[in-house]
């Protein structure tokens, strides 16, 4: 903990007068966090914070978000600068190692990722156990979890070398795993990775190549994907990353922890929102239907939400949404889809919602998922794969957080407490007496 700027508070039991001192630790940025150790130790109380609205579960040096300012930093670097100047693998290196690589480091990291792209053939056969209409996220979660049964040289979490190979292996193989899920759903043969291609061109190749035809990934498509991956690579203690940390804190194998993250990401309140946004836009259908749709959202009876809007931390524009919206204009224009009706509808929906008192008063702005699906669709990625694309990029963040946690000598198993509201002690009665 950074001791500079720490502040002291007092917790007093107003009935007994018992007082304890609590310390608020200052970080390098953002609000200080109150060390509540004395709450339990001196007063026998637990704290209650459903949804972790104000609870820091860990200290971290990876990513910082200022939700009011709409600021996102990876290892201190603003997302806007990384989006403009960096590449996904360079950002991956930065998130994992803490510093931007020099040329030799980036070349060697890129080479290592390229060397680990293939999947064990037995793992590929596991896809055959899934029905063709299985959601690809179900397949990805299962295959990632199964990796622990294949790559034993990376499962000793206390060995730094194992952790390093694990990181490279999962980042290298997650596009292969995703593409194989897509090919299985289509009933097409798996396409093996090509290590002469960059990360995103290889992904496109594995998605869209077929054995009977030549396929040349479009550099424009690969570039757009690379940018989307940079924007999705990490987001501090979000639900899926916290899931990876919690699962990993038990000492489980790292593939199991990442698989838990994939499952958490799938939910529509989290990474599943990119798929849900397109479903919503399709259901709205036309700009003329936007007011009626927003009335249903505001009515709140049917549980309808404006998908791709709102965020737990951002109470201002999500900086990633700003970048993606601008990118949407460019990508659609360059791909010859400048009159894309889905994008027109999304722009109109955003414009109307941002003038509506319901959304303004609740500080609800477009988040990263509002526009990403429109770009994925323009690149030919099917809707059912949108959340998988998110998972590919976020794997880097999950691994960085898992590594940070495991390397911390103060790591403890994550074990929350509860406010119990169930039955008090009672005695069992045999069936005939109930
Ligand atoms: N549409 C309509 N109303 C909303 C929305 C929305 N998208 N989001 C929040 N609200 C309303 C809530 O009803 C609530 O209103 P109230 O105070 O009158 O009860 C208020 O805004 C606060 O919302 P909460 O749900 O309490 O906020 P929370 O921080 O728990 O949820 C979340 C954040 C889950 C992202 C939410 O905004 C949401 O469901 N958004 C839509 C799904 C989505 O886009 N998820 C992707 C998030 S980004 C990511 O994970 C990659």
């Amino acid at each position: 903990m950074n001791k500079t700027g720490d502040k002291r508070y007092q917790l007093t039991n107003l009935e007994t007068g018992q007082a304890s001192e609590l310390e608020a630790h200052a970080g390098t940025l953002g609000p200080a966090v109150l060390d509540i150790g004395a709450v339990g130790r001196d007063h026998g109380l637990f704290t209650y914070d459903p949804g972790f609205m104000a609870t820091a579960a860990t200290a971290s040096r990876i990513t910082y978000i200022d939700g009011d300012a709409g600021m996102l930093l990876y290892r201190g670097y603003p997302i806007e600068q990384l989006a403009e100047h960096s590449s996904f693998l360079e950002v991956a290196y930065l998130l994992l190692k803490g510093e931007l690589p020099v040329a030799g480091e980036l070349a060697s990291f890129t080479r290592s990722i390229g060397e680990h792209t293939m999947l064990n053939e037995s793992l590929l056969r596991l896809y055959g156990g899934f029905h063709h209409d299985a959601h690809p996220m179900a397949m990805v979660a299962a295959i990632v979890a199964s990796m622990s049964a294949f790559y034993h040289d990376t499962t000793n979490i206390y060995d730094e070398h194992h952790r390093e190979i694990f990181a490279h292996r999962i980042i290298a193989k997650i596009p292969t795993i995703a593409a194989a899920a897509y090919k299985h759903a289509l009933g097409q043969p798996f396409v093996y990775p090509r290590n002469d291609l960059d990360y995103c061109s290889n992904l496109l190749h594995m998605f869209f190549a077929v054995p009977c035809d030549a396929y040349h990934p479009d550099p424009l498509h690969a570039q757009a994907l690379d940018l989307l991956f940079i924007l999705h690579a990490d987001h501090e203690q979000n639900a899926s990353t916290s899931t990876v940390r919690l699962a990993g804190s038990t000492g489980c194998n790292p593939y199991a922890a990442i698989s838990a993250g994939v499952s958490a990401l799938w939910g529509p309140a989290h990474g599943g929102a990119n798929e849900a946004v397109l479903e919503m836009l399709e259901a709205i259908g036309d700009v003329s239907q936007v007011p009626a749709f927003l009335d249903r959202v505001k009515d709140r009876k049917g549980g309808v939400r404006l998908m791709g809007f709102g965020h737990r931390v951002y109470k201002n524009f999500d900086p990633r949404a700003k970048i993606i919206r601008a990118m949407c204009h460019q990508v659609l224009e360059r791909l010859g889809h400048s009159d894309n009706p889905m994008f027109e509808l999304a722009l109109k929906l955003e414009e109307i919602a941002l003038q509506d008192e319901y959304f303004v008063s609740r500080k609800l702005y477009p988040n990263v998922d509002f526009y990403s699906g429109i770009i994925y669709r323009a690149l030919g990625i099917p809707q059912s794969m949108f959340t998988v694309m998110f998972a590919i990029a976020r794997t880097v963040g999950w691994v960085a957080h898992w590594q940070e946690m495991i390397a911390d000598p103060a790591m403890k198993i994550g074990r929350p407490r509860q406010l119990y509201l169930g039955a008090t002690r009672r005695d069992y009665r045999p069936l005939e007496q109930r």
Side-chain angles (χ1 to χ4, degrees), residues 230-244:
I230 291 176
L231 299 178
H232 283 90
D234 192 39
H235 215 227
E236 51 116 309
Q237 311 307 323
N238 58 85
S240 55
T241 302
S242 298
T243 302
V244 170

Side-chain angles (χ1 to χ4, degrees), residues 28-29 58-65 71-79 82 91-99 232-238 241 244-245 394-408:
T28 50
L29 288 170
T58 186
S60 181
R61 292 180 165 79
I62 302 172
T63 291
Y64 175 74
I65 304 171
M71 179 205 275
L72 169 61
L73 309 176
Y74 290 168
R75 300 283 189 182
Y77 294 101
I79 191 68
L82 294 169
V91 164
Y93 185 100
L94 171 69
L95 287 167
L96 294 170
K97 300 279 188 186
E99 295 298 334
H232 283 90
D234 192 39
H235 215 227
E236 51 116 309
Q237 311 307 323
N238 58 85
T241 302
V244 170
R245 279 187 179 262
R394 186 54 59 85
T395 293
V396 166
W398 293 331
V399 171
H401 283 270
W402 177 85
Q403 283 191 329
E404 180 178 63
M405 178 185 72
I406 300 289
D408 182 353

Side-chain angles (χ1 to χ4, degrees), residues 228-380:
L228 283 173
F229 284 1
I230 291 176
L231 299 178
H232 283 90
D234 192 39
H235 215 227
E236 51 116 309
Q237 311 307 323
N238 58 85
S240 55
T241 302
S242 298
T243 302
V244 170
R245 279 187 179 262
L246 190 58
S249 78
T250 66
C252 70
N253 78 71
Y255 301 103
I258 300 298
S259 170
V262 173
S263 301
L265 185 75
W266 192 359
H270 192 13
N274 55 13
E275 197 180 331
V277 168
L278 263 273
E279 280 163 13
M280 173 187 76
L281 292 173
E282 267 161 8
I284 297 172
D286 185 76
V287 171
S288 63
Q289 300 303 312
V290 167
F293 173 74
L294 290 181
D295 284 344
R296 281 178 59 215
V297 171
K298 292 187 284 180
D299 180 44
R300 300 170 62 151
K301 285 195 190 112
V304 183
R305 286 204 163 193
L306 176 50
M307 299 310 284
F309 253 66
H311 198 274
R312 169 61 60 79
V313 184
Y314 294 118
K315 301 302 171 196
N316 194 330
F317 252 95
D318 178 338
R320 303 167 301 172
K322 271 192 196 166
I323 298 171
I324 294 185
R325 188 173 50 174
M327 183 184 168
C328 245
H329 278 292
Q330 288 166 12
V331 169
L332 295 177
E333 209 158 285
R334 280 153 72 191
L335 295 176
H337 299 230
S338 43
D339 55 350
N340 184 302
M342 216 47 114
F343 185 41
E344 295 304 320
L345 179 56
L347 284 173
K348 198 69 197 165
L349 186 54
E350 178 192 332
E351 185 190 318
I352 298 176
L354 289 180
Q355 288 166 8
D356 191 303
E357 196 277 331
Y358 176 94
F359 297 94
V360 173
S361 62
R362 289 171 179 76
K363 299 187 177 172
L364 300 172
Y365 291 89
N367 60 49
V368 69
D369 283 330
F370 194 66
Y371 289 106
S372 61
I374 295 170
I375 302 186
Y376 284 135
R377 177 175 279 193
L379 299 179

Side-chain angles (χ1 to χ4, degrees), residues 30-74:
V33 298
L34 198 62
D35 183 337
I36 54 164
V39 175
R41 201 176 50 240
D42 300 349
H43 298 267
L45 295 170
F46 296 147
T47 53
Y48 184 56
D49 182 20
F52 297 99
M53 298 294 284
T55 296
T58 186
S60 181
R61 292 180 165 79
I62 302 172
T63 291
Y64 175 74
I65 304 171
D66 183 332
D68 293 324
M71 179 205 275
L72 169 61
L73 309 176
Y74 290 168

